Amino acid sequence: MVAILRRTALLSLVCHCSTTNVRQSAAFLLRPVVIEGVIVVVPSSSLSSSSSSSSSLLSSIRRRFRFYPDHPSSFSPRKSVIMASSSATAASSFSSSEEEEETIIIDAPYGAWESPITSEVVSSKNVKLGPVYFHDGEVYWLEGRPSEGGRNVLCRAAAAAAAAAGGGGGGGTTSAATATDVTPPGSNVRTRVHEYGGGAVVFGGAKTPSSSSGGGIYYSEFVTQQICRLDGTPVTAVAPDDENDGGSGGGGGGGRSRYRYADGVLTKDGGTMYCVREDHANPNPRDVVNELVSIDVCDGSTRTIASGRDFYSSPRLSRDDTKLAYVAWDHPNMPWDTTELRIIIDLPSSSSSSSSSYDPDTNGHVLVAGGNDESVMQPTWHPIADELYYLSDASGYYNIYVAGRASSVLPMSVDFGGSSPGWTFGRGGYVFLDDGRLVSSYEGDEGSILVVADVVVVDGSSGDDGTTTTTTMTTIDNVREYRGGEEETTGLPSIFSGIVPGVGGDIYFLGGSPGSPTCVYAWNVDRDDDDDRVTMPPAARVLARSSSISDAFPDDVISVPRRVVFPTTLGNAYGYHYPPRNGRYVCTSDASPPLLVKAHGGPTSCANRSFNAGIQYWTSRGFAVLDVDYGGSTGYGRDYRRRLRGSWGIVDVDDVCNGATYLVERGLADVDRLCIDGGSAGGYTTLCALAFRDVFRAGTSLYGIGDLTALAGDTHKFESRYLDGLVGPYPEDERVYRERSPIESVDTLSCPILLLQGAEDEVVPPNQAVMMHEALLRKGIPTCLKIYEGEQHGFRKAENIRDALDSELAFYGKVFGIKIPGAIDAGGYTTLCALAFRDVFRAGTSLYGIGDLTALAGDTHKFESRYLDGLVGPYPEDERVYRERSPIESVDTLSCPILLLQGAEDEVVPPNQAVMMHEALLRKGIPTCLKIYEGEQHGFRKAENIRDALDSELAFYGKWGDADCSR
């Protein structure tokens, strides 16, 4: 351990240690050494007389601080550093007098650090926030709550908190008293359109006396997929009951739901809703129908407004409700490939008598922009000029355009579309304030940048021929930028997105930083100019927090990432490096830490720099993490985004491997302890990296793709042709599909793989994980598969998030030989006792261990036949004690899985001990597995049995007791 003390406390500490039992162990004999003006007290056995050894030790200590030279906890020669071995006994015997500033720092291997950021903390103390809404003077947001089965809840801030966007300092937060759950208990606000959802809440109109809980507010209920009014009253006849039989239970997908709805907008009178509808009358992906519909919210009557394309999104009403803009596209395009922006000029009302003559064919609607390999999205009408704005990547970046103009009104070499545009409904990269000003944001190298611009409205402008037109036009002027993270100037968090306008200059958004969790913020864009002196807006105010982790733990437990740019096949790629960090630990035994490389999903998406408790779970234990924005990621312009065209499984794999190598070359990662994980598309990249490259030693695929050919015909409609652009058309390019499928290259695999999967996943069906698991078992590769009931694409339930994290940690611990804190590695009897009599461990393995002391007392070899007399007591005189301490007598208190490994010819602990324990566990219904090795005595000596025992235990911990015992 290392203790940072003042010099006045040093002498008494050394003297104290020299007179205690600590000195009896050579490991704890302390020797003070002065190095560069720093007093270092170390175990004598770890020091030679050479100054080079001393300098090497000091360098090891400094490694803990090298990533944060400016951090207040960084190493300082003015501090006295005390180092001893990692013994709790030694720690408890240390005492010091006089003035003392003691911080015990334990010297332990990377990966073996004990962390306060447990899986339970990650799953139970976090909610997923967003999107944010502003309606009728109040701020709302969605909370995804793992502790409540992953359901989404619509919440509302107190009016006083929402109104304080521009007043006072920052740092405030809502509490249970000032934030209210708006949706009914048990409800789940989530739509399954495109499976990824979004746009599940619709606001419009004001509250009425008869509906004081919200008035014109509607949401999609996950179980039934019906649209419900906020007061809980279903919008009747939106879908007949026999076609929308959603079943019951808030966590799962329920029963059959023919219609799904998303991305709605209400007319100003609140009577008609326009939205996307997805018809699953025939659930085959190629038969699912997407269209735009209007719904009379009073009688539930529905009419098709736009049809004929494979996909629709973003229906947006003009200021006078007479025009409707929307985005449409066809297979094989995705929304970031080629889309069209169209307008319905003469929009019929839901009760219009002209409905019989209205033609919903999209081809008959006015084409504004898009097509020809151009992606357009996020249309928005200007609130004063009623001009149609939108995003387009025609310039090479998602810039802001106005209908009818060829050039961007705000040309910049940045993407304004947000982090992952196109995946979910309801996202916006820019908004308008009620006075017409434009507000947007983009990502810079160091954080987010807010853009505020005046929009000048020109009425009755002169034409080129001298005539006066009646067209209202806008121009952009007075563009200002505010950088996030500059508290002294802007008061903005370092990272923010999802901006929504309030009243006046108020805006609301999601924000945070790499070291602080995502919050709902309020801020005011207005500032005063007075004689060239600029008064900046007050700091952004926190309305809600996604996590209390950063408040509960000290800063020196939180790892702050640094952006890295590294060379790769097609130029440079990008990532965020999180060094291991835990103020209670230092590692002098390892030159570099194990590295977990993370491959994000999508693949047309990006890594998120905001606070991620799941990443801090790893770094606080001594792992380094690299979150890679491989080629194909968003946020770097169109050319970078299109690097994956036809090259998925190649470019992304090159980049994650080159990123890991880049850190290894700089001494920031251990080349022998590189691992990788990823979810969905990131799971595919993970499996490809393990199958086609020799860089990583282990990996975890979370709901990932192992067989591209199977996925081509077995996924949902939205992504059913996604692979055409990433790999090639199928079945024409079937050979390429097979070449890039990890399941086809199992023969090149040699490292352990953990597979985690949701049972109800319709994006990447469970058969992908099952087939991969079976192929790995046939090859004899250590592997384990866990399928979580009630989970879809991504894990939302707290117990499953917790189990997935702990399983992956235990998995890498076994692969790399890291003794994970909290994992038991004692004698078989101690193991069984710890599992039976304590509620600490979640699984255990007893190797030729003792379950019944009474049976052992009369059934072991001569040498140890009376051993128990001293350990327990004489038998049979103390038979009661023997039974009380026998795990087999306390099976009723057991609840966790147990693996039993036994030698058939063991005469020290005979096989009947394992057999009896196994039978008792089976009777109790506890997951258990017994393996008896022929030809083995007390301890395994045959190579094939040692190998099988290790692989079985690895699979068991990864699968928490559901290991395949047939091998």
Side-chain angles (χ1 to χ4, degrees), residues 570-594:
L570 297 181
N572 287 332
Y574 309 91
Y576 299 96
H577 171 229
Y578 296 77
R581 188 164 198 212
N582 189 324
R584 294 181 56 236
Y585 288 88
V586 66
C587 177
T588 62
S589 59
D590 302 332
S592 302

Side-chain angles (χ1 to χ4, degrees), residues 622-668:
F623 281 77
V625 173
L626 177 64
D627 208 355
V628 180
D629 269 341
Y630 48 78
S633 299
T634 57
Y636 301 90
R638 184 176 61 187
D639 290 345
Y640 193 83
R641 190 178 75 237
R642 291 184 175 180
R643 280 189 184 181
L644 278 188
R645 282 195 169 183
S647 298
W648 194 32
I650 299 175
V651 169
D652 51 321
V653 176
D654 285 345
D655 291 357
V656 295
C657 292
N658 288 330
T661 302
Y662 177 84
L663 294 185
V664 169
E665 291 172 347
R666 281 151 183 78
L668 303 177

